[in-house]
Amino acid sequence: MTKFVYLFNEGNTTMKELLGGKGANLAEMTNIGLPVPFGFTISTEACNSYYDNNKAISSELREQILRALSELESKTGKKLGDPSNPLLVSVRSGAVFSMPGMMDTILNLGMNAETVVGMAKLTNNARFAYDSYRRFIQMFSDVVLGVDTFYFEQYLEETREAKGYTHDPEMKAEDWMEVIEGYKKIVQKHTKQAFPEDPEEQLFLAVNAVFDSWNNQRAKVYRRLNRIPDHLGTAVNIQSMVFGNMGEDSGTGVAFTRNPSTGEHILYGEYLINAQGEDVVAGIRTPEPIQALEKDMPAVFKQFTDTCKKLESHYLDMQDIEFTVERGKLYILQTRNGKRTAQAAIRIAVEMEEEGIIDKQTALLRVDPEQLDQLLHRRIDDTHVRKQLAKGLPASPGAATGEVVFDADEAEQLASEGVKVILVRPETTPDDIHGIVASQAIVTSRGGMTSHAAVVARGMGKACICGCDALKIDLKEKQFKVGEVIVKHREIITIDGSTGEIMLGEIPMIEPELSAEFKTLLQWADELRDLGVRANADNPEDAKKAMEFGAGGIGLCRTEHMFMDAKRVPFVQRMILAETLTEREEALSHLLPMQQEDFEGIFEAMEGHPVTIRLLDPPLHEFLPDKEELLVDVTKLQILHPDSTELAEKEALLKKVRQLDEFNPMLGHRGCRLGMIHPEIYGMQAKAIFYAVAAIMNKGLPVKPEIMIPLVGHVNELRQMRQLVIDTAKEVEQETGLTFTYTVGTMIEIPRAAITADEIAEEADFFSFGTNDLTQTTFGYSRDDAEGKFLQTYIEEKVLPENPFAVLDQGGVGKLVEMGVQLGRKTKPELKTGICGEHGGEKFSIEFCYKTGLDYVSCSPYRVPLARLAAAQATIRNKKSKEPVY
Ligand code: PEP
Ligand code: MG
C-alpha cells in the first residue's frame, strides 16, 4: 500500500518532491522544535493518483486521510465538527516549486451552524466566531463551489452600508449572523444546493478542489513561464487553525529575514493586528512594518526575531516566513526560501559568503543568470527634476514608462501589438498574471510590500509600486485621479519602483552601473569558470561596453552593420550596381578606409583581446531599396517626369533589384557565396582588416585578429576564401614591412559543415557555431518568419518544448554542434571552438556549450555578465569537483 499521507512529524526538508515545498518545510520546522500548528500533508503522489483515478479520491487515500485526521484530533484535543470543542483546519496547496498565489487555500474549515456556537462559547468571543464562519463560507464557496467572491463582497458591502458602518471591524456578532444567512442564500441560488454543513464532507471537497487547482489557468501559465513540469502535482497541507483575529493581542504577518528588494540584512516585513493571513496577502488593509511589532508585542517580537535567525541558519538562505499570533502566542505557519530581486539575490549571496554561511560556489549558484537582466537595464536619470504625481510603496525596483491600462486582458492585447503598458489596479489577483507578464510595470492603490502584485512583480523583475492610496482609481470610467489631476486610460506615465514615485509623461533614463557586490560575484565567477565569454560587437562603442562588462574578446563582429551606415550606403549601392570589375573596385576603394577606421577602433578598444571579424554575410539586396517601393516610385516618375535622370537612375536600380531578387534569400546568394562570386568584396574587407592591424601595430599596441568566413557548406569554399585572406595579408605585409599574426576560421552554420567538419577543419584555425542559421537550416524553419507564423502555437501546444531560436535544441541542432566539435578536433586537436548565435547568451545553451567542450560563448555585450555567471554555474555543476557542491 502506498503511503499517501504524512503527519508533520513524519517528514523533513529532503522530501520536497513528495510533500511539496510547504509540506516539507512544515515537517522540518516541526522537527526542529518551532511552534508550528500540527497537521499532515497529502503527498503529490496522491494528487497524481487522484488524476489517474478520474479525479476521484480512492478509498485507500480516504482511509489514510481519516486516520491522519484522528491523529491530529488526538494531538490537539479537538475534534472536527464537535460543537463543544471543534477542530478547525486550513487546507492549502503546496507544490514542489513554490507557486505563490497560483493555487487554492481554504481557511477555517470545519465551521458550521453548530461549531460556530461552540467556538463562540470557547473563545468567549461571538463576534470572532461568526466573522470566521462567514469568511469560511465565502472562501469555500469561491474555491470549492465556484461561486464568485464578488457576490459575497457586494452583499457584505450593502449590509454594512445599510447599518451605517464604514469598516468591517464595526460589525457585531449579530450583524455577522445576518450576513451568514445572506451568504447561504447566495450559495443556494448559485449552486442550487445548500452550503455543505458536514465538516468531513467539507474536508474532502476541499482536498478535491486543491488537487483541481493544479490545473487551473493561472497555475498552468505560471508553470509555463517558470518551466515547471506539469506532471509534478501538488501536495495538500491540512493544518490546525490558529487565529490572528482573536482581538488586539492577536495578529498575523509575513516577514523576510533580509530585504527582498535590496538584499539589506535587516528583518523586513509587515503585519496586521487582529487579522487573518489573507488580509495581509490580499492587500485590503495596509499593514504595519514589522519593526512596529517590537512596540506592540515586545515578547512576541523577540521570539519571532530569534526564530527568524534560527530558520535562516538552518536553511542557509533568506527565508520568507508567515506567522500568526493568537492571544499573545506566536505560531510559525510557513517558511520558504524568499523570492528576491536580482539586486537582492546578489547582495544576499555575497554577504552570506562573507558572513561564512555559504561558500563561493553556493553563492554563485544562488543567483539566476536570467535575473541579472534586471540590473543591466536603464533607470531614471537622477539629473532630471522629478515632478512626482503620487508616491506609493517601492515594491519592486526599476523604472518604466508606458500607457496606463486598467485591465489585465487589455494589457495583454496592447502588449501583443507592441504597445508598452503599465497595469494600474486597485489590487491584483492571480487571475491578472497574464496582464502582469505583458506590462512594463504594475501599480496598485492598495496592498503592502507582500501583496500579490509585489511578490509576482519582484519574481519577474518588473518595476512595481503598491499601496499608493493617493490614486483614486475609477475602473468604470477607466481613469485615476490624484487630487485634481485626472489620468486617463492610455495616457503615458513613468514609474520608479525603487522609490515608489509615479510621474506623468515619459522621463529620461540612464544606463545602469554594476554594484560592488555584483562585481565581486562576477569576479568569483571568472575565477571558477572553465568557459570563455566573448561579446558580439560591431563597432567601437559596443566593443568598449563589452570590455566594461568583462568580455574576453569579440566572438562575432558582423561587418555588414558597418555597411548600413547612412553615409556608406551610397557607396555600397554603387558597388552593387557596378557593371564592371573596375567600377566595383572603385566603389570598394571608398569603403575600404571606412571599414579600416572601424576595425582600428574595435582593435584599440579590445586592447589585444581576440577579435573575430566575419566577412560580409547577408544577401546584397538588403542594401538596396525595397522592390515594391521602387516600383511605385518608377511608375509615378514615368507619368510625371518621363524624361528625368531620376527616372533613369531608379529604373537602373529597379533592374538590379530584380536581378538580385531571390525566392529564398536566406538560402541564396549570401555568406561565402558572395566572396566566391565577388572575391574583390572579401578582398577589400581583408585589406581593411590588415591595414587596421598594421596601424595598431605601428602604435605599438597589441592586436589579435581572427578572420571568419560565413556560411561555409563545402571545404572548397573555405579553401578558396582562406587563400584569398592569406594572399591579401601577404600583400599588406609586403607593403608595410610588418609580419602579422592572425588566424582564419569559419562559421559552422550549415548542417553539411557540421557533418564534414573533419574536412573543413583542414582549412580552419577555429570554428564558431552560428546557431541562428544552424537552427534555421536544421529545422528548415525560416528564422525571419517562423515565430510570427506557427512557432508560437508549436510552443503553446508543446509540439516543441522551447523556441529553438532562443534555447538551443540540444536533441537536434545540439547533436550537429557535438559532431562538429568532435570531427573538427579529430583532424585538428588544437582547433578553437565557440558559439556566436543568440544561444550564446542563454543559460541552458551555455551549459550545453560547456558540456560539449566549446572554448567560449559569445553574446551581446549586455548579456556578458549573465554569460559569465552561467558559465561559472555550468562549470560548478558539471566539473568533477572534490568540494561539495550545493
Ligand atoms: C548565426 O547564424 O548564428 C550567426 C551568428 O550569424 P547571423 O545571425 O549573423 O546569421
Ligand atoms: Mg549566420
Side-chain angles (χ1 to χ4, degrees):
M1 193 179 75
T2 318
K3 183 171 169 65
F4 284 130
V5 180
Y6 293 78
L7 294 167
F8 285 173
N9 57 359
E10 292 178 319
N12 64 56
T13 194
T14 64
M15 294 164 74
K16 279 207 170 83
E17 229 163 276
L18 195 62
L19 303 180
K22 191 179 288 176
N25 280 335
L26 283 167
E28 185 79 5
M29 287 198 294
T30 305
N31 292 337
I32 60 173
L34 290 177
V36 177
F38 199 65
F40 57 90
T41 302
I42 306 171
S43 71
T44 53
E45 278 180 4
C47 177
N48 288 329
S49 84
Y50 168 82
Y51 280 102
D52 292 343
N53 195 26
N54 279 331
K55 303 223 295 182
I57 291 179
S58 65
S59 56
E60 187 186 340
L61 177 56
R62 188 182 171 86
E63 221 172 85
Q64 290 192 33
I65 293 174
L66 289 174
R67 211 171 315 128
L69 177 67
S70 86
E71 290 272 352
L72 175 59
E73 288 175 337
S74 69
K75 190 112 179 171
T76 55
K78 299 175 182 180
K79 213 167 162 23
L80 196 70
D82 177 357
S84 59
N85 193 14
L87 170 71
L88 301 187
V89 295
S90 63
V91 179
R92 296 172 205 254
S93 61
V96 178
F97 299 103
S98 148
M99 296 167 58
M102 291 303 123
M103 286 179 295
D104 292 330
T105 289
I106 297 149
L107 303 177
N108 300 328
L109 188 139
M111 291 225 105
N112 61 22
E114 289 176 354
T115 52
V116 70
V117 180
M119 279 297 288
K121 251 195 230 142
L122 270 176
T123 58
N124 205 10
N125 190 342
R127 187 195 173 283
F128 155 74
Y130 285 93
D131 182 16
S132 303
Y133 189 20
R134 72 90 198 172
R135 283 169 191 264
F136 169 58
I137 297 176
Q138 184 168 338
M139 213 178 220
F140 190 90
S141 302
D142 173 31
V143 172
V144 180
L145 307 176
V147 185
D148 202 312
T149 314
F150 164 79
Y151 298 109
F152 300 101
E153 291 287 351
Q154 193 184 34
Y155 177 75
L156 174 55
E157 205 170 309
E158 281 166 16
T159 315
R160 202 172 46 213
E161 272 171 22
K163 291 181 181 296
Y165 305 142
T166 34
H167 299 295
D168 286 355
E170 295 165 66
M171 300 276 283
K172 300 187 185 59
E174 300 73 44
D175 302 324
W176 285 129
M177 288 180 197
E178 196 183 318
V179 170
I180 288 162
E181 286 319 304
Y183 273 15
K184 287 189 174 171
K185 283 193 191 124
I186 294 174
V187 173
Q188 179 75 44
K189 183 170 161 212
H190 286 88
T191 66
K192 308 277 177 278
Q193 271 173 359
F195 184 81
E197 287 281 294
D198 172 11
E200 212 172 279
E201 186 190 348
Q202 292 173 356
L203 180 67
F204 284 102
L205 284 172
V207 172
N208 276 350
V210 173
F211 283 157
D212 287 343
S213 70
W214 173 252
N215 275 329
N216 68 28
Q217 206 45 38
R218 57 183 198 257
K220 283 196 209 161
V221 172
Y222 189 92
R223 285 204 294 274
R224 181 151 45 81
L225 283 174
N226 292 281
R227 297 197 177 96
I228 297 174
D230 288 333
H231 69 266
L232 294 178
T234 181
V236 187
N237 298 293
I238 317 274
Q239 189 173 24
S240 57
M241 287 290 302
V242 284
F243 295 96
N245 53 347
M246 275 216 175
E248 293 304 304
D249 59 353
S250 304
T252 188
V254 183
F256 294 84
T257 53
R258 299 178 190 228
N259 184 321
S261 280
T262 64
E264 193 186 352
H265 194 172
I266 47 156
L267 194 60
Y268 180 89
E270 50 205 9
Y271 70 101
L272 279 170
I273 290 286
N274 199 8
Q276 271 197 321
E278 85 257 26
D279 297 335
V280 182
V281 181
I284 289 158
R285 277 162 64 191
T286 301
E288 292 289 317
I290 191 80
Q291 273 69 21
L293 189 67
E294 188 165 16
K295 245 191 5 255
D296 278 346
M297 300 179 184
V300 168
F301 183 73
K302 164 97 181 51
Q303 195 192 348
F304 181 63
T305 46
D306 289 349
T307 306
C308 286
K309 281 188 200 133
K310 194 168 175 178
L311 281 170
E312 196 181 270
S313 49
H314 185 77
Y315 286 102
L316 304 175
D317 199 358
M318 185 266 264
Q319 296 296 296
D320 167 359
I321 302 165
E322 282 178 23
F323 67 96
T324 284
V325 181
E326 182 183 289
R327 293 196 160 154
K329 182 165 169 25
L330 173 73
Y331 289 96
I332 304 297
L333 301 186
Q334 184 180 155
T335 192
R336 58 186 167 197
N337 293 341
K339 295 228 179 281
R340 60 205 80 176
T341 62
Q343 188 189 342
I346 292 168
R347 180 161 172 187
I348 291 169
V350 170
E351 289 187 355
M352 281 193 158
E353 194 276 346
E354 285 163 357
E355 289 161 23
I357 300 173
I358 54 176
D359 63 11
K360 279 186 190 163
Q361 301 199 355
T362 312
L364 284 163
L365 291 171
R366 282 282 165 83
V367 181
D368 181 355
E370 297 291 337
Q371 267 192 314
L372 299 185
D373 237 11
Q374 291 175 35
L375 299 178
L376 301 167
H377 286 130
R378 300 175 311 158
R379 60 188 165 81
I380 292 176
D381 183 351
D382 287 333
T383 59
H384 177 88
V385 183
R386 298 181 185 202
K387 261 178 71 197
Q388 179 190 312
L389 174 69
K391 191 165 180 176
L393 300 171
S396 181
T401 297
E403 294 182 14
V404 170
V405 294
F406 296 97
D407 175 77
D409 292 340
E410 191 188 8
E412 189 182 41
Q413 176 57 35
L414 287 172
S416 74
E417 292 162 18
V419 181
K420 289 191 161 55
V421 297
I422 293 183
L423 183 62
V424 179
R425 301 270 318 152
E427 72 235 345
T428 65
T429 71
D431 287 333
D432 294 323
I433 185 156
H434 58 297
I436 297 177
V437 172
S439 301
Q440 303 295 309
I442 320 299
V443 176
T444 70
S445 57
R446 285 193 291 229
M449 301 288 281
T450 48
S451 64
H452 175 261
V455 171
V456 173
R458 273 201 298 273
M460 292 181 187
K462 274 187 205 283
C464 176
I465 295 175
C466 282
C468 186
D469 47 18
L471 252 56
K472 303 294 170 227
I473 302 176
D474 187 337
L475 293 178
K476 247 212 224 117
E477 287 296 313
K478 288 198 178 181
Q479 61 180 38
F480 69 77
K481 248 189 182 172
V482 181
E484 290 306 300
V485 182
I486 296 179
V487 177
K488 292 214 155 69
H489 172 238
R490 301 205 60 177
E491 243 178 78
I492 292 182
I493 59 168
T494 297
I495 75 142
D496 185 341
S498 313
T499 61
E501 290 166 291
I502 301 174
M503 289 138 290
L504 289 176
E506 193 172 344
I507 291 178
M509 308 248 180
I510 51 165
E511 298 299 316
E513 279 165 38
L514 305 188
S515 70
E517 291 93 11
F518 197 168
K519 286 184 184 150
T520 305
L521 192 81
L522 289 177
Q523 194 190 321
W524 295 346
D526 292 346
E527 284 163 17
L528 267 152
R529 68 183 160 91
D530 281 344
L531 178 65
V533 176
R534 296 193 187 185
N536 294 353
D538 312 326
N539 54 58
E541 291 74 56
D542 283 357
K544 280 187 201 123
K545 196 88 291 133
M547 287 294 280
E548 215 176 282
F549 284 147
I554 288 180
L556 175 63
C557 171
R558 293 178 164 103
T559 49
E560 60 267 24
H561 292 170
M562 300 168 171
F563 279 23
M564 306 268 184
D565 186 290
K567 284 195 279 295
R568 302 176 184 188
V569 166
F571 295 107
V572 177
Q573 292 188 348
R574 256 166 68 183
M575 168 192 90
I576 297 169
L577 294 172
E579 294 292 343
T580 62
L581 183 61
T582 331
E583 265 177 51
R584 178 162 302 114
E585 279 175 344
E586 200 273 329
L588 286 168
S589 69
H590 291 278
L591 289 170
L592 191 147
M594 297 175 186
Q595 288 239 292
Q596 182 186 334
E597 192 187 322
D598 290 327
F599 294 138
E600 279 179 45
I602 292 171
F603 288 147
E604 213 159 315
M606 292 312 292
E607 298 169 8
H609 288 91
V611 178
T612 307
I613 298 168
R614 179 180 72 183
L615 302 186
L616 198 63
D617 181 63
L620 292 180
H621 75 82
E622 282 192 15
F623 302 100
L624 297 179
D626 179 72
K627 193 174 69 180
E628 312 286 323
E629 282 170 23
L630 208 52
L631 201 59
V632 172
D633 286 355
V634 167
T635 316
K636 274 190 196 154
L637 285 168
Q638 278 170 344
I639 297 165
L640 298 173
H641 306 287
D643 300 320
S644 64
T645 44
E646 198 188 350
L647 175 62
E649 276 169 18
K650 291 239 164 159
E651 278 176 336
L653 201 55
L654 181 61
K655 192 170 150 218
K656 196 73 191 176
V657 168
R658 281 186 166 142
Q659 265 173 23
L660 293 174
D661 196 27
E662 292 178 291
F663 285 112
N664 288 312
M666 280 311 237
L667 297 177
H669 194 185
R670 57 173 287 228
C672 66
R673 302 159 204 168
L674 282 174
M676 294 291 288
I677 304 301
H678 304 295
E680 61 282 5
I681 300 181
Y682 275 18
M684 177 281 285
Q685 291 198 294
K687 209 171 220 176
I689 294 169
F690 290 115
Y691 279 156
V693 171
I696 298 292
M697 286 172 73
N698 285 333
K699 282 189 191 169
L701 299 173
V703 57
K704 207 167 176 193
E706 300 174 338
I707 294 142
M708 180 155 78
I709 312 298
L711 225 70
V712 164
H714 196 285
V715 65
N716 290 343
E717 292 171 319
L718 183 59
R719 187 172 296 125
Q720 277 197 38
M721 291 301 101
R722 178 186 173 86
Q723 199 52 50
L724 177 71
V725 173
I726 292 172
D727 291 346
T728 312
K730 277 196 194 129
E731 210 181 292
V732 183
E733 278 177 338
Q734 265 168 14
E735 203 178 314
T736 57
L738 296 165
T739 307
F740 304 138
T741 310
Y742 63 94
T743 53
V744 183
T746 184
M747 293 191 72
I748 302 286
E749 48 185 348
I750 299 286
R752 194 181 187 285
I755 296 165
T756 59
D758 46 353
E759 291 172 22
I760 290 183
E762 303 271 3
E763 300 293 332
D765 301 317
F766 63 87
F767 282 174
S768 179
F769 289 89
T771 45
N772 302 333
D773 274 311
L774 194 57
T775 301
Q776 167 170 263
T777 47
T778 302
F779 274 94
Y781 296 166
S782 157
R783 57 193 268 198
D784 298 319
D785 295 324
E787 276 158 286
K789 299 276 195 251
F790 59 87
L791 207 47
Q792 221 40 48
T793 313
Y794 266 33
I795 296 157
E796 270 157 30
E797 292 180 359
K798 301 212 172 82
V799 177
L800 295 178
E802 308 274 1
N803 176 350
F805 289 105
V807 181
L808 189 84
D809 159 49
Q810 295 186 20
V813 179
K815 287 229 174 84
L816 287 171
V817 175
E818 277 165 355
M819 183 187 281
V821 174
Q822 280 163 16
L823 288 177
R825 291 215 173 119
K826 209 164 91 189
T827 302
K828 202 174 260 178
E830 72 284 9
L831 185 81
K832 202 189 305 175
T833 55
I835 182 174
C836 62
E838 284 307 295
H839 308 91
E842 193 282 321
K843 63 178 180 181
F844 295 112
S845 315
I846 293 173
E847 182 148 1
F848 169 81
C849 292
Y850 175 82
K851 289 199 268 189
T852 309
L854 296 193
D855 296 302
Y856 67 86
V857 296
S858 188
C859 55
S860 96
Y862 282 93
R863 292 187 83 80
V864 164
L866 178 165
R868 287 162 70 193
L869 179 61
Q873 292 185 346
T875 310
I876 295 168
R877 280 201 207 99
N878 297 290
K879 202 171 175 171
K880 307 250 171 316
S881 164
K882 281 188 210 78
E883 301 287 313
V885 175
Y886 297 91

